Amino acid sequence: EPEVTQTPSHQVTQMGQEVILRCVPISNHLYFYWYRQILGQKVEFLVSFYNNEISEKSEIFDDQFSVERPDGSNFTLKIRSTKLEDSAMYFCASRASTESSYNEQFFGPGTRLTVL
Amino acid sequence: GEDVEQSLFLSVREGDSSVINCTYTDSSSTYLYWYKQEPGAGLQLLTYIFSNMDMKQDQRLTVLLNKKDKHLSLRIADTQTGDSAIYFCAESIRSTASKLTFGTGTRLQVTL
């Protein structure tokens, strides 16, 4: 069964460093998402991406964050200068299309980012 | 804005029914979902309900929606140890992005 994969499973970085979190969505999906979950808190929406551009982003997704689909298969989240409060589990998700009245977002296993 | 609330913890005995509750604030929610998260794994969709429905049953799972009170519940019949996980309620509004707004998650512990 197709699945969303994410690498690495755990990333440790120093404050101020850049990190790139990688996701491989399901191959025929068109919509891509990043969510994050700070330990003990809710899963929060960060950004959605469709047709090679951001379709919606949250207040969390400031200028330090960027997303890219560099090669038609990977979907990346870059944090330019990490802060302690960026420590969280980051989930990637993908969705087929909006043609059907309902369509499921499929989630990856997450990348745990620890900023020291 | 959207807000989704859940109780944090529920403990049940194997074989009993579990009921996990959720309240939401956005009356324009189109779909409401239940996701399951097992340790080390991603979020797995269990079931969903469209906002014009009151109930949906899927094998051991029953979802009840009270639109007036903006209350959603998930009942798991004959709860098994393999049901131990964190259960997230989520809502979305039909749009191009259709982002999900999640609750805090309810940790279900199934005891023997």
Side-chain angles (χ1 to χ4, degrees):
Chain A
E1 188 173 323
E3 58 182 16
V4 177
T5 59
Q6 290 185 242
T7 53
S9 56
H10 190 190
Q11 173 90 50
V12 181
T13 189
Q14 295 290 325
M15 191 169 57
Q17 295 296 305
E18 175 183 285
V19 294
I20 297 176
L21 309 183
R22 291 184 166 80
C23 169
V24 179
I26 294 173
S27 62
N28 61 345
H29 283 189
L30 301 176
Y31 292 82
F32 313 108
Y33 305 82
W34 284 101
Y35 293 83
R36 79 171 186 191
Q37 185 182 28
I38 295 171
L39 188 64
Q41 297 186 25
K42 296 182 179 185
V43 176
E44 302 170 291
F45 168 77
L46 291 178
V47 66
S48 60
F49 191 85
Y50 169 71
N51 201 26
N52 285 319
E53 60 183 24
I54 290 173
S55 51
E56 188 174 354
K57 60 183 181 179
S58 71
E59 292 174 355
I60 303 167
F61 195 88
D62 61 21
D63 292 343
Q64 292 299 313
F65 291 87
S66 62
V67 289
E68 197 177 30
R69 193 156 156 78
D71 56 13
S73 62
N74 290 284
F75 179 51
T76 62
L77 175 69
K78 182 192 289 186
I79 310 175
R80 287 189 185 80
S81 177
T82 50
K83 303 187 283 287
L84 294 176
E85 54 265 36
D86 293 327
S87 294
M89 181 74 90
Y90 288 80
F91 293 105
C92 173
S94 69
R95 179 164 70 96
S97 75
T98 56
E99 292 304 316
S100 61
S101 61
Y102 160 77
N103 48 89
E104 176 182 351
Q105 287 187 32
F106 291 82
F107 282 79
T111 293
R112 180 167 296 285
L113 176 65
T114 302
V115 182
L116 303 175
Chain B
E2 311 101 348
D3 194 23
V4 181
E5 297 292 336
Q6 298 177 240
S7 55
L8 293 180
F9 185 77
L10 176 67
S11 181
V12 298
R13 285 195 167 187
E14 188 177 39
D16 288 349
S17 292
S18 308
V19 179
I20 303 171
N21 295 300
C22 169
T23 56
Y24 60 97
T25 57
D26 197 329
S27 57
S28 55
S29 296
T30 308
Y31 291 103
L32 294 135
Y33 308 82
W34 285 103
Y35 278 82
K36 178 182 180 182
Q37 185 182 33
E38 296 183 78
L43 298 161
Q44 176 199 356
L45 180 69
L46 284 179
T47 187
Y48 68 94
I49 189 166
F50 190 49
S51 59
N52 67 356
M53 297 167 64
D54 298 321
M55 186 183 90
K56 181 178 180 182
Q57 186 148 6
D58 184 1
Q59 298 180 7
R60 291 191 297 123
L61 305 178
T62 303
V63 179
L64 294 177
L65 175 60
N66 181 329
K67 290 182 287 295
K68 176 175 168 290
D69 295 337
K70 298 192 181 69
H71 182 266
L72 182 74
S73 67
L74 173 69
R75 179 176 180 271
I76 306 173
D78 186 25
T79 313
Q80 303 297 307
T81 54
D83 294 324
S84 293
I86 300 175
Y87 290 80
F88 291 92
C89 168
E91 62 171 359
S92 72
I93 303 166
R94 187 174 179 186
S95 66
T96 303
S98 292
K99 68 178 184 184
L100 293 171
T101 300
F102 285 89
T104 47
T106 299
R107 181 177 294 278
L108 175 65
Q109 179 183 63
V110 182
T111 59
L112 297 172

